[in-house]
Amino acid sequence: MLALFNEEQQMFESTAKRLAESIGITNPHDLNTNDRAHGWQMLTDVGLLGLRMRDNGVPLASGVEVMIAAQALGETLTPQPFISAVLAGELLALANAPDELIEELVAGETRYGLLLDRSFENLAAPDDADCIAWDTDGAHYALGLIQNQVVRISLAQGFEPAREVADLTRGLLHRRANTTPAETIGEPLSAEKIKRWLALTLVTVSADIVGAITAAQAGAVAYTRERVQYGALIGSFQAIQHLCAEMLVQAQAAHSINCYAAWGVDQLDADEALLAARTAKAYAASVALPVTEAVMQVYGGIGQTWEHIAHVYTRRAMVNARLFGDETYQLQRIADARLGAQ
Amino acid sequence: MDYRDTPEEAKFRLELREWFKHNIPANWRDITDGEGLRALAKSWHKALYADGYMGLNWPKEYGGQGLSPSFDAILNDEAGRAEAPRLPGMVNYLGRAIFTYGTEEQKLLFLPTLLSGEVQWCQGFSEPGAGSDLASLRTRADLQGDHYVVNGQKMWTSGALQADWCLLLARTDSGAAKHKGISCLLTPLDAPGITVNPIVLHSGEPETAEVFFDDVHIPVTQRIGEPGAGWRIAMTTVSYERGASDTGSISVLRRQLRELEQIAHQKGLLNDLNTRMKLARAHVDIEALSLNVAQQLSSRLAGRDPGPEGSVGKLLWSKAAQYTMHVALDVLGADALTGNAPRWLAEYFTSRPVSVYGGSSQIQKNILARMLDMPR
């Protein structure tokens, strides 16, 4: 057993972190000025979109590398839609979609969001009236599922940007009209393939949570070394110290539990992989808001303002917590797996 | 990153699984009286040792097995899966002090019998006035020729009633700064001048004790480490005491959860959504703990000693242990309270001091705040 990154994974992590720092955001104003196209080009050039391309049926990189990349990009609240790209690519690969579709995706030319049902828990069918296309910055299509068949639908018509959304960093479109018919892509997915896709998905979203809460926590701790009240740095107050320590525990535990799930995506049998991923997502979802809320608390008044980065973490974390099922949803399915269905 | 067992680990796991099948004492759960439990702990320790399952991570010359720390994790997993009695908890961390700081002679003299369970040890650290603030301890050891004369009082000395020897912290230099004047003495509890009084815990069991020292003579050769090295030795000891794998605690949690799932099934509670959610959440908390510990064991394997991040594991352990016992109270319902299932009431109380011993949860958070380089 080696529960730590190997040397290659450590190098990959520093590459991903450097990239994330160069294309991510550090304050809400950056959301208006961030050069989305440039960031997308960099993600593409580094090869992050092609992590799960298959070589003779074997993914180029494991779930662990996907986790590392998603966590690094989550740390800097990167607005470029890495998650939907890598998960769409995985769907295409699992469905044995034509090579050119995958190549266009990996080249960053054709961009995909994911089609989700209104609850945000499942991939949706395009004829679902309430469906939502998620992580759609620059996207041409969204991938959905009809029964076990991958379908894609053009986002050019029938969709409109959602207003007043929680997450300021990622695009979201509502289905408004049923205009273009969906195209069937590749072969129907076996139950096992759907479980594996879901396992990778839960790991990737959990990694985004881990990244966001780790960075948010680090920012709050840094602030406690600058802010003075009662003539003392607020980081010297035990109440603040214990808040920060608790955040650290939650972020580290979420990471530890997600590492195993990320490894399991390719190494465990499909049911075990999914159970490990649900366990990781249940934990990550349960700490996403508590950590980002504690961060806003440590910043005090300034942490309640639009100009401050704190709410951007909270917003991204609350959406991540719900994506593909929140804590309650995962716990119910963990219980089904361990105790038998109700 | 690879969570799979190496071939050696896999072989060990299979053998262990088979061993548990044939060696777990029958009906051990029916033993609830203190005397019976102590006899069980002793015979279980000896059985594990006899077949080479104690001191997995210790060098062979001191009676260990010379295996990597990951084998302790496997022992925990399998003991939990087999629903075995608690693994001997204090051996690993008390032995670690002697093992790390003792002379070759001391190691050869004390470690093999500590591992075998032939000689029982306890930890003389806390005092009435020195709990969380351990460094303010006042028990004195004054050097007189070739021996120390010890006077003072220890408290919360778990297992002292059964123990033969004590890893004792005492102040040998009252002029030095409080962390620097402490030394560590290996002390036989049958030495003249030592009185041990039981402290009965909320469970009703005299699990711990207070120990009085009245002009007790300890040869200088029984000091481990240099004079004044006691604080460092204590910190090494507690860093292992905080390890849920080192103390066998993960096995306890896995066993408890498995049993609670079975009890919930027998009581027809598996259709109750609330119970299902709680059992699932206990699983999540235990996984968070054991996977965090797995990372710490791997980093130990890479040559790093347990550091302040051990406090993360200790806090996760406290949370998992105490949450699981809240689930137990829910699943057992009135049975835990009416004497129909007294073992679970005892297990509940046993989960409470987890957030106190080895440094309270509040102390762990102080340590983490320091690790985060927060202002003092």
Side-chain angles (χ1 to χ4, degrees):
Chain A
M1 179 196 72
L2 179 70
L4 298 173
F5 297 150
N6 61 31
E7 247 171 72
E8 266 174 62
Q9 287 164 338
Q10 286 173 25
M11 276 163 55
F12 179 70
E13 187 187 31
S14 25
T15 307
K17 284 191 169 188
R18 267 199 309 277
L19 171 71
E21 271 167 35
S22 69
I23 67 177
I25 64 164
T26 52
N27 69 66
H29 181 67
D30 292 347
L31 286 167
N32 304 321
T33 56
N34 182 281
D35 185 345
R36 303 276 172 119
H38 173 68
W40 185 251
Q41 192 59 48
M42 288 185 71
L43 271 179
T44 309
D45 291 347
V46 174
L48 289 192
L49 305 186
L51 288 177
R52 295 293 287 183
M53 264 183 92
R54 303 303 201 261
D55 181 15
N56 285 325
V58 180
L60 295 181
S62 77
V64 176
E65 282 76 23
V66 174
M67 177 194 76
I68 291 171
Q71 190 171 321
L73 296 167
E75 281 187 31
T76 61
L77 299 167
T78 306
Q80 282 74 14
F82 165 75
I83 294 186
S84 61
V86 78
L87 297 179
E90 182 76 2
L91 269 181
L92 295 177
L94 289 169
N96 292 321
D99 288 346
E100 59 268 24
L101 285 191
I102 297 174
E103 283 157 15
E104 287 162 15
L105 181 149
V106 169
E109 292 158 7
T110 308
R111 296 169 64 166
Y112 292 90
L114 296 174
L115 204 59
L116 301 174
D117 67 10
R118 189 175 176 168
S119 73
F120 252 31
E121 286 162 358
N122 304 292
L123 280 181
D127 56 0
D128 176 348
D130 288 330
C131 69
I132 294 165
W134 174 75
D135 208 13
T136 51
D137 189 58
H140 307 93
Y141 299 97
L143 290 186
L145 212 53
I146 299 180
Q147 310 290 351
N148 54 355
Q149 175 65 56
V150 178
V151 294
R152 80 172 185 182
I153 184 167
S154 167
L155 297 174
Q157 282 181 312
F159 284 86
E160 67 180 25
R163 294 167 205 282
E164 315 272 335
V165 293
D167 184 356
L168 305 176
T169 60
R170 294 179 295 198
L172 198 154
L173 307 172
H174 285 293
R175 182 91 159 120
R176 288 302 181 215
N178 209 358
T179 48
T180 39
E183 297 166 68
T184 295
I185 305 277
E187 304 156 6
L189 299 177
S190 64
E192 164 162 352
K193 284 184 172 179
I194 291 178
K195 285 176 191 165
R196 287 210 184 276
W197 183 79
L198 199 47
L200 180 69
T201 299
L202 293 168
V203 163
T204 309
V205 174
S206 300
D208 200 88
I209 294 178
V210 174
I213 63 178
T214 302
Q217 184 262 144
V221 169
Y223 181 70
T224 72
R225 299 190 199 108
E226 297 161 8
R227 172 72 174 164
V228 173
Q229 284 290 274
Y230 302 101
L233 292 166
I234 64 167
S236 65
F237 302 135
Q238 203 171 43
I240 304 289
Q241 292 182 347
H242 286 195
L243 260 183
C244 292
E246 187 63 29
M247 292 183 221
L248 177 75
V249 171
Q250 292 171 329
Q252 288 203 353
H255 175 67
S256 298
I257 200 167
N258 203 33
C259 282
Y260 176 71
W263 170 82
V265 166
D266 303 294
Q267 300 293 338
L268 294 172
D269 85 44
D271 284 318
E272 279 182 68
L274 185 53
L275 176 60
R278 290 202 186 286
T279 305
K281 179 75 204 299
Y283 191 89
S286 74
V287 297
L289 270 187
V291 173
T292 52
E293 287 169 355
V295 165
M296 292 195 291
Q297 183 69 17
V298 169
Y299 282 115
I302 199 74
Q304 319 302 316
T305 64
W306 184 265
E307 298 300 322
H308 198 275
I309 191 72
H311 71 101
V312 187
Y313 287 113
T314 306
R315 289 163 171 274
R316 182 147 162 157
M318 67 167 62
V319 170
N320 282 333
R322 186 150 298 277
L323 272 169
F324 297 97
D326 64 1
E327 181 196 3
T328 304
Y329 180 94
Q330 304 304 341
L331 289 180
Q332 285 172 355
R333 273 141 198 90
I334 290 166
D336 291 348
R338 286 180 61 83
L339 307 171
Q342 210 168 346
Chain B
M1 178 164 280
D2 187 356
Y3 289 84
R4 206 189 313 274
D5 287 341
T6 63
E8 299 75 42
E9 288 167 345
K11 180 165 171 279
F12 176 80
R13 190 186 290 277
L14 278 181
E15 286 167 5
L16 188 56
R17 203 168 282 181
E18 197 57 28
W19 188 86
F20 277 128
K21 257 188 221 158
H22 303 295
N23 289 280
I24 293 177
N27 304 327
W28 68 269
R29 288 185 193 76
D30 299 337
I31 305 170
T32 50
D33 66 297
E35 205 168 316
L37 285 171
R38 284 187 287 278
L40 170 71
K42 205 160 184 176
S43 64
W44 181 231
H45 184 159
K46 285 191 171 157
L48 285 161
Y49 176 78
D51 289 322
Y53 294 119
M54 290 299 298
L56 296 177
N57 184 215
W58 293 30
K60 287 190 167 163
E61 57 264 44
Y62 311 125
Q65 301 297 322
L67 299 168
S68 91
S70 59
F71 286 77
D72 270 330
I74 296 172
L75 179 64
N76 267 276
D77 277 354
E78 294 302 322
R81 165 198 272 265
E83 299 177 22
R86 166 171 212 115
L87 297 168
M90 288 160 75
V91 171
N92 263 327
Y93 66 86
L94 290 182
R96 191 70 58 168
I98 301 174
F99 170 66
T100 311
Y101 298 97
T103 63
E104 197 56 29
E105 217 174 351
Q106 288 168 332
K107 290 193 234 185
L108 289 170
L109 187 60
F110 292 107
L111 289 178
T113 53
L114 184 158
L115 265 190
S116 71
E118 203 176 316
V119 175
Q120 302 274 319
W121 283 75
C122 62
Q123 172 189 17
F125 285 15
S126 298
E127 296 182 4
S132 288
D133 181 14
L134 181 61
S136 69
L137 63 87
R138 282 159 47 183
T139 294
R140 294 174 46 179
D142 299 317
L143 190 58
Q144 290 182 6
D146 62 354
H147 61 268
Y148 287 102
V149 177
V150 180
N151 281 287
Q153 181 192 353
K154 291 290 164 182
M155 203 163 173
W156 314 124
T157 314
S158 295
L161 289 168
Q162 296 80 45
D164 308 296
W165 283 74
C166 178
L167 185 75
L168 179 70
L169 292 182
R171 190 161 300 285
T172 46
D173 182 356
S174 51
K178 70 175 186 177
H179 292 85
K180 299 204 167 137
I182 300 168
S183 300
C184 184
L185 305 176
L186 305 177
T187 304
L189 282 179
D190 60 0
I194 294 182
T195 312
V196 181
N197 291 333
I199 299 175
V200 178
L201 292 188
H202 38 31
S203 62
E205 287 304 321
E207 283 173 32
T208 191
E210 48 183 2
V211 183
F212 294 87
F213 297 83
D214 186 9
D215 282 336
V216 177
H217 288 221
I218 309 292
V220 172
T221 52
Q222 283 165 219
R223 188 192 66 231
I224 60 167
E226 295 303 304
W231 182 253
R232 203 147 42 88
I233 296 171
M235 289 305 101
T236 299
T237 309
V238 297
S239 72
Y240 284 91
E241 187 182 359
R242 287 167 191 158
S245 174
D246 301 299
T247 53
S249 303
I250 291 174
S251 75
V252 174
L253 290 171
R254 291 197 188 287
R255 190 257 304 154
Q256 287 171 335
L257 180 58
R258 283 177 69 98
E259 286 189 54
L260 290 172
E261 288 174 344
Q262 288 156 17
I263 293 168
H265 175 64
Q266 287 152 13
K267 293 187 131 200
L269 287 170
L270 290 189
N271 281 322
D272 175 54
L273 186 59
N274 195 26
T275 304
R276 293 171 70 83
M277 301 281 283
K278 286 179 174 171
L279 289 167
R281 182 66 215 195
H283 163 75
V284 171
D285 283 349
I286 294 169
E287 287 302 297
L289 165 66
S290 68
L291 290 166
N292 183 264
V293 166
Q295 296 199 312
Q296 288 174 21
L297 292 178
S298 286
S299 105
R300 222 185 273 174
L301 186 60
R304 291 191 285 276
D305 286 334
E309 61 282 358
S311 296
V312 171
K314 176 73 198 314
L315 288 161
L316 293 171
W317 168 17
S318 300
K319 176 153 187 285
Q322 296 181 345
Y323 182 77
T324 303
M325 283 305 99
H326 281 177
V327 178
L329 289 182
D330 286 345
V331 168
L332 272 298
D335 286 350
L337 316 177
T338 56
N340 281 330
R343 183 166 61 85
W344 288 99
L345 184 63
E347 296 214 28
Y348 161 76
F349 277 111
T350 304
S351 75
R352 298 317 304 169
V354 178
S355 55
V356 177
Y357 57 60
S360 69
S361 292
Q362 288 66 37
I363 291 294
Q364 307 303 338
K365 289 180 189 177
N366 289 351
I367 293 169
L368 291 176
R370 206 146 303 157
M371 185 177 103
L372 286 170
D373 197 22
M374 294 182 75
R376 302 187 75 163

CSV table of all heavy atoms in Angstrom, one decimal, chain B residues 93 123 125 134 233-243 358-359:
chain,number,residue,atom,x,y,z
B,93,TYR,N,2.7,2.3,21.6
B,93,TYR,CA,3.2,3.7,21.9
B,93,TYR,C,4.2,3.7,23.1
B,93,TYR,O,5.1,4.5,23.1
B,93,TYR,CB,2.1,4.7,21.9
B,93,TYR,CG,1.1,4.7,23.0
B,93,TYR,CD1,1.3,5.3,24.2
B,93,TYR,CD2,-0.1,4.1,22.8
B,93,TYR,CE1,0.4,5.2,25.2
B,93,TYR,CE2,-1.1,4.0,23.8
B,93,TYR,CZ,-0.9,4.6,25.0
B,93,TYR,OH,-1.8,4.6,26.0
B,123,GLN,N,1.5,4.2,31.8
B,123,GLN,CA,2.1,5.5,31.4
B,123,GLN,C,1.9,6.5,32.5
B,123,GLN,O,0.8,7.0,32.7
B,123,GLN,CB,1.4,5.9,30.1
B,123,GLN,CG,1.7,7.3,29.6
B,123,GLN,CD,0.8,7.6,28.4
B,123,GLN,OE1,-0.3,6.9,28.3
B,123,GLN,NE2,1.1,8.5,27.6
B,125,PHE,N,2.2,9.9,33.2
B,125,PHE,CA,2.4,11.2,32.7
B,125,PHE,C,1.6,12.3,33.5
B,125,PHE,O,2.2,13.1,34.1
B,125,PHE,CB,2.0,11.3,31.2
B,125,PHE,CG,3.0,10.7,30.2
B,125,PHE,CD1,4.0,9.8,30.6
B,125,PHE,CD2,2.9,10.9,28.9
B,125,PHE,CE1,4.9,9.2,29.8
B,125,PHE,CE2,3.8,10.4,28.0
B,125,PHE,CZ,4.8,9.5,28.4
B,134,LEU,N,0.8,19.4,30.5
B,134,LEU,CA,1.6,18.3,31.0
B,134,LEU,C,3.0,18.8,31.5
B,134,LEU,O,3.5,18.3,32.5
B,134,LEU,CB,1.8,17.2,29.9
B,134,LEU,CG,2.6,16.0,30.3
B,134,LEU,CD1,2.0,15.2,31.5
B,134,LEU,CD2,2.8,15.1,29.1
B,233,ILE,N,10.7,12.7,24.8
B,233,ILE,CA,10.2,11.3,24.9
B,233,ILE,C,8.7,11.3,25.0
B,233,ILE,O,8.0,10.5,24.3
B,233,ILE,CB,10.9,10.6,26.1
B,233,ILE,CG1,12.4,10.6,25.8
B,233,ILE,CG2,10.3,9.2,26.3
B,233,ILE,CD1,13.2,10.1,27.0
B,234,ALA,N,8.2,12.2,25.8
B,234,ALA,CA,6.7,12.2,26.0
B,234,ALA,C,6.0,12.6,24.7
B,234,ALA,O,5.0,12.0,24.4
B,234,ALA,CB,6.3,13.2,27.1
B,235,MET,N,6.6,13.5,24.0
B,235,MET,CA,5.9,13.9,22.7
B,235,MET,C,6.0,12.8,21.7
B,235,MET,O,5.0,12.6,20.9
B,235,MET,CB,6.6,15.2,22.2
B,235,MET,CG,6.3,16.4,23.0
B,235,MET,SD,4.5,16.7,23.2
B,235,MET,CE,4.2,16.1,24.9
B,236,THR,N,7.1,12.0,21.7
B,236,THR,CA,7.1,10.9,20.8
B,236,THR,C,6.0,9.9,21.1
B,236,THR,O,5.3,9.4,20.3
B,236,THR,CB,8.5,10.2,20.9
B,236,THR,OG1,9.5,11.1,20.5
B,236,THR,CG2,8.6,8.9,20.0
B,237,THR,N,5.9,9.6,22.5
B,237,THR,CA,5.0,8.7,22.9
B,237,THR,C,3.5,9.1,22.6
B,237,THR,O,2.8,8.3,22.0
B,237,THR,CB,5.1,8.5,24.5
B,237,THR,OG1,6.4,8.3,24.8
B,237,THR,CG2,4.2,7.4,25.0
B,238,VAL,N,3.2,10.4,22.8
B,238,VAL,CA,1.8,10.8,22.6
B,238,VAL,C,1.5,10.8,21.1
B,238,VAL,O,0.4,10.6,20.6
B,238,VAL,CB,1.4,12.1,23.3
B,238,VAL,CG1,1.4,11.9,24.8
B,238,VAL,CG2,2.2,13.3,22.8
B,239,SER,N,2.6,11.1,20.3
B,239,SER,CA,2.3,11.2,18.8
B,239,SER,C,1.9,9.8,18.3
B,239,SER,O,1.1,9.7,17.4
B,239,SER,CB,3.5,11.7,18.1
B,239,SER,OG,4.5,10.7,18.0
B,240,TYR,N,2.4,8.7,18.9
B,240,TYR,CA,1.9,7.4,18.6
B,240,TYR,C,0.6,7.0,19.3
B,240,TYR,O,-0.3,6.3,18.8
B,240,TYR,CB,2.9,6.3,18.9
B,240,TYR,CG,4.1,6.3,17.9
B,240,TYR,CD1,5.2,7.1,18.0
B,240,TYR,CD2,3.9,5.6,16.7
B,240,TYR,CE1,6.2,7.1,17.1
B,240,TYR,CE2,5.0,5.6,15.7
B,240,TYR,CZ,6.1,6.4,16.0
B,240,TYR,OH,7.1,6.4,15.0
B,241,GLU,N,0.4,7.6,20.5
B,241,GLU,CA,-0.9,7.4,21.2
B,241,GLU,C,-2.0,8.0,20.4
B,241,GLU,O,-3.2,7.5,20.6
B,241,GLU,CB,-0.8,8.0,22.6
B,241,GLU,CG,-1.9,7.7,23.5
B,241,GLU,CD,-1.9,8.4,24.9
B,241,GLU,OE1,-0.9,9.1,25.1
B,241,GLU,OE2,-2.8,8.2,25.7
B,242,ARG,N,-1.7,9.0,19.6
B,242,ARG,CA,-2.8,9.6,18.8
B,242,ARG,C,-3.1,8.9,17.6
B,242,ARG,O,-4.0,9.2,16.8
B,242,ARG,CB,-2.3,11.1,18.4
B,242,ARG,CG,-2.4,12.0,19.6
B,242,ARG,CD,-1.6,13.3,19.3
B,242,ARG,NE,-1.5,14.0,20.6
B,242,ARG,CZ,-0.6,14.9,20.8
B,242,ARG,NH1,0.3,15.3,19.9
B,242,ARG,NH2,-0.5,15.5,22.0
B,243,GLY,N,-2.3,7.8,17.3
B,243,GLY,CA,-2.5,7.1,16.0
B,243,GLY,C,-3.6,6.0,16.2
B,243,GLY,O,-3.4,5.1,17.0
B,358,GLY,N,-4.4,11.4,25.4
B,358,GLY,CA,-3.4,11.6,24.3
B,358,GLY,C,-3.4,13.1,23.8
B,358,GLY,O,-3.0,13.4,22.8
B,359,GLY,N,-4.0,13.9,24.7
B,359,GLY,CA,-4.1,15.4,24.3
B,359,GLY,C,-5.6,15.6,23.9
B,359,GLY,O,-6.1,14.9,23.0
